[in-house]
Amino acid sequence: MTRIIGITGGIGSGKSTLAQCFSEHLIPVIDADEIARFALTPESGCFSEIVDLFGGEALKPDGTLDRAYIAAKVFADKSALSALNGIVHPYVIREMIARTGACGSPLAVWDVPLLFESGVDAFCACTVAVLCDEEIRIARTMRRDGADEEQVRARIRAQISDEKRAELATYTIRNEGTLEAFIEEANALIGQIREELE
Ligand code: ADP
């Protein structure tokens, strides 16, 4: 039975950087955002449900989803957004469970930005929250994504606060110094988690 380490953190906190450290320790990382993007492709197990929800107008001539059409629909209609989430979220969880079962490793990382908000922490043997001052996170995200400041602030407002994450997580790690210092601390934390879970 694979034990799951849930990692989370606000946008730009360094969550993906931490996931990469786990991966370098040969602990498989399962990425919820990547599966959520895959959910919208014709290869996913929930594609036909999404097409049924929005109708044939949501399909482009090549058979893929017209993301701009869907984005406009869910922006205009909150019930369409919750219906879409009602398809995609359970699919992401089913897929994460399936990939975990198939990985054959004693430990696996679930990288889930909305780990506590979605209740997915219930699947985890332990959780790690990456904490970081909001202004530093905004600067890093703007640099990484070329996003504008207001967009990043809006995404932060849709997430729980670092105080709440710190309260809910088994472990916390701060990422306000250099990348090298963070990686060093991350490796020490991974050693500690391995000792406790393996
Ligand atoms: P998240 O996955 O939480 O959104 P990332 O791990 O992608 O965050 O980090 C956001 C950006 O900041 C990336 O470009 C990453 O390389 C960079 N970064 C992460 N930690 C540091 C750090 N300590 N110092 C400088 N840049 C960092």
Side-chain angles (χ1 to χ4, degrees), residues 10-17 140 143-144 175 177-179 182:
I11 180 168
S13 60
K15 200 171 44 62
S16 309
T17 307
R140 281 186 193 151
R143 212 176 311 127
R144 183 192 58 191
N175 182 18
T178 64
L179 194 54
F182 179 62

Side-chain angles (χ1 to χ4, degrees), residues 46-59 63 65 70 87:
C46 66
F47 185 75
S48 61
E49 276 179 85
I50 297 173
V51 175
D52 287 348
L53 175 66
F54 290 100
E57 310 87 84
L59 284 178
L65 284 174
I70 292 180
I87 295 170

Side-chain angles (χ1 to χ4, degrees), residues 41 50 63 76 90 94 97 101 107 112 122 132 149 155:
T41 67
I50 297 173
R94 286 199 302 279
I97 292 170
L107 298 178
V112 189
C132 181
E149 183 174 337
R155 288 173 69 179

Side-chain angles (χ1 to χ4, degrees), residues 21-152:
C21 294
F22 275 99
S23 174
E24 280 161 18
H25 284 253
L26 304 181
I27 298 174
V29 175
I30 299 166
D31 180 337
D33 271 355
E34 184 243 299
I35 298 174
R37 285 191 296 273
F38 177 73
L40 303 180
T41 67
E43 292 74 35
S44 93
C46 66
F47 185 75
S48 61
E49 276 179 85
I50 297 173
V51 175
D52 287 348
L53 175 66
F54 290 100
E57 310 87 84
L59 284 178
K60 294 198 289 189
D62 66 359
T64 62
L65 284 174
D66 184 340
R67 287 171 188 245
Y69 177 89
I70 292 180
K73 284 275 175 203
V74 300
F75 186 74
D77 177 3
K78 274 210 164 22
S79 69
L81 176 62
S82 46
L84 178 63
N85 285 339
I87 295 170
V88 173
H89 291 174
Y91 172 76
V92 170
I93 294 174
R94 286 199 302 279
E95 189 63 24
M96 292 185 91
I97 292 170
R99 292 188 190 187
T100 304
C103 79
S105 162
L107 298 178
V109 164
W110 282 17
D111 176 348
V112 189
L114 302 178
L115 183 73
F116 297 117
E117 294 90 327
S118 63
V120 167
D121 59 309
F123 292 92
C124 301
C126 72
T127 56
V128 183
V130 184
L131 308 177
C132 181
D133 171 78
E134 198 165 298
E135 298 307 315
I136 299 178
R137 282 161 44 198
I138 292 168
R140 281 186 193 151
T141 308
M142 287 169 62
R143 212 176 311 127
R144 183 192 58 191
D145 299 345
D148 85 43
E149 183 174 337
E150 204 30 58
Q151 271 175 343
V152 182

